[in-house]
Amino acid sequence: MAGQPVMIMGEDAQQLRDRDAQAHNISAARAVAEAVRTTLGPKGMDKMLVGSTGDVTVTNDGVTILDEIDIDNPTAQMIVEVAQTQEDEAGDGTTTAVAVAGELLKQAEDLIEQEVHPTTIIRGFTAASEFTRAEIEELTTSVDGNEELLRAVAETAMTGKGAEANKEVLADLVVRAVQAVTIEADDGSTIVDVGFVESGTEIGRGVEESELVHGAVINKDPVHPDMPTDFDEANILLTLDPIEASEADVDASVTVTDASQIDAFLDAEEEELTEKVELLKDLGVDVVLAQKGIDDVAHHYLKEAGILAMRRTNKSDIQFLREVLGARVVSDLDSATKEDLGRGSVRRHETTDTFRFEGLNDDSHGVTIMLRGSTSTVIDEMERGVEDALDVVATAAGDGRLVAGGGAVEVELARHVRDYADSVEGRQQLAIEAFADALELVPRTLAENAGLDAIDALVDLRSAHDDGKTNAGLDVFSGEVVDSYEAGVVEPTMAKQQAIASAAEAANLVLKIDDVLDAGEGDDDEGGPGGPGGPGGMGGMGGMGGAM
């Protein structure tokens, strides 16, 4: 045994080392990339996702697909995290990030076969990623408040998705919504808070009837049908306190010996509720929205006082109304003051019976995009497209930088990276050249998904960029090489930088792993390394097989 390695593991433990571990991990990661690669671009295909309960989702949104499918393999899960990070940071580009990560690992696998060490590949990928991030800065165009460019960003994000058929109408709504929640900070920077943009949906009407409401849309009914429903200038109270009779702090039993005693209890409750309504009248309240209940006895008195009241209002609606109306949320009615009231107009929609609140105060903030469509499936996919567009327009408006889409920036960056590789010595040069090849996956995939010849498209793009046409991209509808800016195909610089950086980091993380251990089933820990959530699937894709 002298000099021999000793490993003490359970009988059912498994281990993959060196080339086997690298091949297994690369295979798992590439399987995730292949699952979404065909959805890339305006001509990308859709996926039908069927849930365990029979729910059906039809989408080509990368992050939605990866969220829905069942992935147990830990390596594959790392690639899924790339999409989640991309969605959180940039709002779009998830498919690009995952697809490029898969292509980087494919290129790395070829280099490993050529006896290039993974550490060398990692160094090359890291250097190329840093160089690429810097080079993108030279290819950017300033937004500078240009509404036409922002609409182009929104339309690019929606092209190929359920919202594409009406992208002009929806893009206009998205841009106006972003402008409504954009403020300039004290240091001169632009802040876009999409948290103040809500969305609502209505089934059974045309998409072209979608609209932007400068305020909140609340789907609630008045507690009494005869209450007023429309106000031009209303004082509005938002409260967490129920409008109900007080309850005893402790359980108690009361012996009643006479019917008049019951009447006394009821009279006392009614008097208390009357006092609460009188308090609202004294404050000048026209509309009250309570997060909790409103006693049935109070309904009549609120109606007689001319107050519109709604109960069981969602907490999220209360918080949004606070921003729209410039109000404070009151937790105790007895301590409410006139300064707590919000100011706004209130209208009940004729066909949907929803209430629309628009703020009148200078500090009111918040808009709602009302999306309309023929079916729930159409609306769901349209909503995902609008959310992506909203995120990328907000990113573009806040960051102020754009790059050409249609594969233009990837081809130009690949050309620069190859020039950079010539200045690097040793085998690291091979990794940098492989990074350039991986970037060109984007235009190749755009062409493939559009039914075009990927090689011819890439040759034409390279030729145009060699001639100095830095914005030359692929028009997937005509198959021609066009100026992406003139075609209105543009993307936020930040989203592209994040996608490339995330892809490189994910690929490097996978390449650093040279040993995979599955310790087997534990006697009393089903969630341990060998149970659900462990490496699972040493011989294949683990629990991912059925999901893909």
Side-chain angles (χ1 to χ4, degrees), residues 143 150 178 182-183 188-193 391-401 492 494:
V143 176
L150 291 178
V178 168
T182 299
I183 60 174
S189 61
T190 300
I191 300 176
V192 183
D193 194 339
D391 287 336
V392 294
V393 171
T395 299
D399 183 54
R401 300 175 300 157
M494 178 182 170

Side-chain angles (χ1 to χ4, degrees), residues 87-405:
E87 181 76 7
D88 293 341
E89 295 296 325
D92 198 18
T94 54
T95 303
T96 299
V98 172
V100 171
E103 184 66 14
L104 285 172
L105 289 169
K106 176 185 176 183
Q107 298 288 338
E109 192 170 33
D110 294 339
L111 292 175
I112 291 173
E113 291 296 325
Q114 299 173 36
E115 301 300 327
V116 179
H117 196 277
T119 301
T120 301
I121 300 173
I122 291 170
R123 285 203 306 269
F125 283 177
T126 301
S129 176
E130 293 174 353
F131 174 81
T132 301
R133 286 178 65 88
E135 286 298 300
I136 289 181
E137 297 291 344
E138 303 299 321
L139 304 175
T140 62
T141 298
S142 174
V143 176
D144 195 26
N146 189 320
E147 289 188 19
E148 185 176 345
L149 281 177
L150 291 178
R151 286 191 181 90
V153 172
E155 291 182 17
T156 301
M158 286 187 281
T159 301
K161 299 180 180 178
E164 180 180 8
N166 299 88
K167 64 182 181 181
E168 292 86 1
V169 174
L170 298 176
D172 181 63
L173 296 181
V174 167
V175 172
R176 286 163 51 201
V178 168
Q179 290 174 332
V181 297
T182 299
I183 60 174
E184 185 172 328
D186 294 337
D187 59 1
S189 61
T190 300
I191 300 176
V192 183
D193 194 339
V194 292
F196 294 126
V197 180
E198 291 286 313
S199 64
T201 59
E202 293 178 6
I203 299 174
R205 300 174 66 181
V207 178
E208 67 280 358
E209 295 184 56
S210 300
E211 62 178 319
L212 180 68
V213 178
H214 287 273
V217 178
I218 306 298
N219 188 15
K220 298 294 293 183
D221 291 321
V223 295
H224 194 289
D226 293 331
M227 284 180 169
T229 56
D230 297 275
F231 298 87
D232 290 327
E233 297 182 6
N235 293 320
I236 303 168
L237 176 68
L238 309 176
T239 178
L240 306 180
D241 198 18
I243 305 177
E244 297 175 341
S246 303
E247 295 183 358
D249 294 333
V250 295
D251 292 335
S253 60
V254 178
T255 302
V256 177
T257 58
D258 189 278
S260 61
Q261 293 176 321
I262 298 178
D263 293 336
F265 277 115
L266 296 176
D267 290 342
E269 286 189 354
E270 185 172 346
E271 183 179 353
E272 182 181 356
L273 292 171
T274 303
E275 290 176 355
K276 288 181 180 289
V277 174
E278 287 297 325
L279 173 63
L280 298 178
K281 287 177 60 178
D282 292 342
L283 288 174
V285 173
D286 299 306
V287 181
V288 58
L289 292 100
Q291 185 175 326
K292 297 181 181 179
I294 299 177
D295 195 290
D296 292 346
V297 177
H299 296 178
H300 169 74
Y301 295 107
L302 288 166
K303 186 264 293 183
E304 290 297 317
I307 297 175
L308 169 62
M310 302 177 212
R311 61 181 171 184
R312 307 296 179 194
T313 309
N314 292 336
K315 181 179 180 181
S316 58
D317 288 339
I318 291 283
Q319 296 301 324
F320 188 54
L321 283 167
R322 181 186 65 181
E323 302 298 334
V324 169
L325 303 171
R328 300 173 188 165
V329 180
V330 175
S331 57
D332 182 8
L333 280 178
D334 292 332
S335 63
T337 65
K338 292 184 178 181
E339 287 71 28
D340 296 325
L341 304 181
R343 295 273 298 161
S345 65
V346 182
R347 290 285 182 273
R348 193 173 195 183
H349 198 269
E350 296 177 356
T351 57
T352 63
D353 288 336
T354 55
F355 281 94
R356 301 187 174 196
F357 293 79
E358 297 189 16
L360 299 176
N361 291 338
D362 293 337
D363 56 350
S364 62
H365 201 52
V367 294
T368 302
I369 299 177
M370 290 300 299
L371 299 175
R372 299 183 172 95
S374 56
T375 67
S376 59
T377 301
V378 169
I379 282 218
D380 288 345
E381 181 61 3
M382 184 170 64
E383 193 171 15
R384 281 188 286 269
V386 169
E387 286 176 358
D388 284 346
L390 190 62
D391 287 336
V392 294
V393 171
T395 299
D399 183 54
R401 300 175 300 157
L402 297 175
V403 291

Side-chain angles (χ1 to χ4, degrees), residues 489-501:
V489 183
V490 289
E491 302 175 64
T493 301
M494 178 182 170
K496 192 64 68 177
Q497 286 179 317
Q498 180 68 38
I500 294 173

